[in-house]
Amino acid sequence: MKKIYHLSSCDTCKRILKELQPLTGVVLQDIKTEAMTALQVDEMAGLAGSYEALFSKRARLYRQQGLHEKQLTEKDYKALILEHYTFLSRPVILVDDQIFVGNSKKAVASAKEVLHS
């Protein structure tokens, strides 16, 4: 399965999707208009190794809610990601049993290589 969780209003996600073209056979899920399910988040966390690995500490709500001052658990990370899409580090690219999280050059380059091999 090839799937990309992204935010269509995010310029970085738009740039990365453009860079990954062609996206033949890839399912795109805009996490703002189609909320992630607990099962989907569990699957991502299983591949990434933890819920924290999926969590974006750059999200505005992270500071606004004072989360940067708290000791968060895996359960907290999962709940927060399910509560609001902004807490997912984007994009998340799934290719079979591999996962690429976030917008680092390394993650995007690796995802591109696997998608087009």
Side-chain angles (χ1 to χ4, degrees):
M1 175 186 70
K2 296 177 182 178
K3 186 164 192 168
I4 300 176
Y5 296 91
H6 69 102
L7 191 56
S8 64
S9 58
C10 169
D11 289 335
T12 302
C13 285
K14 288 178 196 174
R15 176 184 53 79
I16 291 169
L17 288 176
K18 193 177 223 178
E19 187 177 330
L20 295 175
Q21 295 292 334
L23 292 173
T24 310
V26 177
V27 176
L28 298 176
Q29 181 171 334
D30 182 351
I31 59 175
K32 187 174 185 175
T33 59
E34 185 183 342
M36 297 170 291
T37 66
L39 190 61
Q40 288 173 324
V41 174
D42 289 343
E43 177 189 21
M44 287 187 269
L47 291 171
S50 69
Y51 293 100
E52 184 177 8
L54 300 171
F55 192 83
S56 173
K57 293 181 178 172
R58 293 172 147 184
R60 285 189 197 128
L61 287 180
Y62 181 67
R63 283 208 167 280
Q64 286 175 357
Q65 293 182 8
L67 300 173
H68 62 291
E69 297 171 350
K70 296 179 180 176
Q71 197 71 25
L72 299 175
T73 65
E74 280 293 289
K75 188 176 177 182
D76 295 329
Y77 287 121
K78 178 182 179 180
L80 288 163
I81 291 168
L82 286 169
E83 177 186 310
H84 202 284
Y85 62 84
T86 195
F87 288 121
L88 183 70
S89 188
R90 305 173 302 272
V92 174
I93 303 164
L94 301 176
V95 182
D96 301 321
D97 62 346
Q98 296 181 66
I99 188 167
F100 306 92
V101 180
N103 57 26
S104 72
K105 287 183 189 263
K106 183 180 177 185
V108 174
S110 297
K112 186 174 185 176
E113 187 176 315
V114 172
L115 275 170
H116 299 295
S117 62

